[in-house]
Amino acid sequence: MPRTPTTLLSLADQERRRALRRMKAVALGALLFMALAFVIAFAFQERIGWLSYVRAAAEGGMVGALADWFAVTALFRRPLGLPIPHTAIIPNRKDEIGRTLGEFVETNFLAADVVRTKLSTTAIARRAGEWLREEPHAERVAAEGATIATAVLNALSDDDVRDLLTDLAREHLVAPEWGPPAGAWLEKIVESEAHHGAVDLAADSIERWLEANATSFTGLVSRRLPGWVPKLAHRFVDDTVYNEALKFVRAVQADPHHPARLAVDGYLARLADALQNDPATRAKLESAKASLFDSPRVGALAAEAWNTAKNGLLTSLADPESGLRSRAVQALQEVGGRLTTDAALQRRVDTWVSDAAVFLVERYRHDIASIITDTVERWDPAETTEKIELMVGRDLQYIRLNGTVVGALAGLAIFTLAHALIPGV
């Protein structure tokens, strides 16, 4: 892999490169200054005595500068291109450095006790609640959730969804036998008299219909009478039938123990028993069920229902003002409010987050740390060297500068001490 050209570096890396070049120039300038001072002092120290101290300081500064230049350069490349042992450490030991760094992160940062201790001192739920209860933040979360949901819906194949719904329907609706559970359910309804409300509703509905449709009985029976029967008799027969029907319905409404009600109770009880114990009745129900679900019209309705639901969801998700998005924002704000004020909920959420984080760290910490190792191994040695040098090279140039200053002070101190202890040197 070729070295990353300057034009492809990020703005931050380009700024680091400029800063690194400036510090290299400063460190080199310090070395050249010491070399110039050494030359001048060496040339005139016989005439001007105190220049010998300058020479000693400059000599020590050059030694310190050169030593630190060699040490810093040896980290990234071979000094002067010479094949000196134990130089170009980073490009030659790139993979080992990556493994060591991965092990360091895994051991010291991805340990369960470290993660739990850090999370235990962080009010995760409360902070999340304070952030989430703000309407702009809730709207942002709702928008991101809508984007994800939209992507999922668009990625789903309509045919696959229909096949899945069909398979689920067959597994959970068609395959199980309906008779016994339906019979048991109907038996409980009859025993608890829960169906009486439905009978009352039916009677009330029939009464209202009869009262509003008296003319529907005109000719209902009389048109079947012989032609010689007088017209007055025709009307009398029709009115009688209508009144008897209305009287019958009102009697059913008024009498909880009316024979019609008892007949309904008996029929439902017999049907409940037959659904549970009569093979013929159960077979008829299963046949009707199979015919219903195998009908092409039912399949078309299911496909149409899915398409309608999907399109409706997509429309609502895409509209920030839709009822779905508005309710989602309100729900998120309510959750944020509870997380802010409900101490018990905060403890539950914090505990859940801590347990989940510790579980993930304990199970996958090696895989997480291996991201560092694998990434460094994929890097080109020259690229790796450049990346690291851009990150720490500027600080390392300060080492060169400090080495120049410390070397100068050390040379001056040694020279001065030698003259003090050994006069005449």
Side-chain angles (χ1 to χ4, degrees), residues 31 61-71 404:
L31 173 60
M62 286 192 298
V63 172
L66 290 172
D68 286 343
W69 166 81
F70 181 89
T404 304

Side-chain angles (χ1 to χ4, degrees), residues 75 115 118 209 296 301 376:
L75 286 174
V115 174
K118 177 61 179 177
W209 185 88
L301 288 174
V376 174

Side-chain angles (χ1 to χ4, degrees), residues 313-325:
L313 281 174
L314 290 174
T315 302
S316 297
L317 291 171
D319 182 8
E321 304 299 328
S322 67
L324 177 62
R325 290 277 292 270

Side-chain angles (χ1 to χ4, degrees), residues 113-129:
D113 55 341
V114 174
V115 174
R116 190 178 292 278
T117 300
K118 177 61 179 177
L119 293 178
S120 65
T121 60
T122 305
I124 300 173
R126 181 176 59 80
R127 291 184 180 180

Side-chain angles (χ1 to χ4, degrees), residues 391-411:
M391 295 300 298
V392 301
R394 183 170 180 271
D395 294 325
L396 294 178
Q397 299 309 312
Y398 277 106
I399 294 178
R400 291 178 57 190
L401 187 60
N402 292 337
T404 304
V405 176
V406 171
L409 294 175

Side-chain angles (χ1 to χ4, degrees), residues 177 179-180 183-184 187 269-282:
E177 188 177 3
E187 184 177 28
R270 291 191 299 273
L271 179 60
D273 180 71
L275 288 172
Q276 296 180 81
N277 303 304
D278 182 25
T281 304
R282 289 161 57 177

Side-chain angles (χ1 to χ4, degrees), residues 186-209:
L186 183 57
E187 184 177 28
K188 292 179 180 179
I189 290 177
V190 173
E191 290 176 353
S192 62
E193 299 181 349
H195 64 291
H196 287 176
V199 174
D200 292 337
L201 178 62
D204 294 341
S205 299
I206 294 173
E207 182 195 21
R208 287 193 297 272
W209 185 88

Side-chain angles (χ1 to χ4, degrees), residues 91-103:
N92 290 333
R93 302 181 61 184
K94 170 181 66 72
D95 294 346
E96 183 179 347
I97 292 173
R99 287 192 296 271
T100 302
L101 181 60
E103 292 173 359

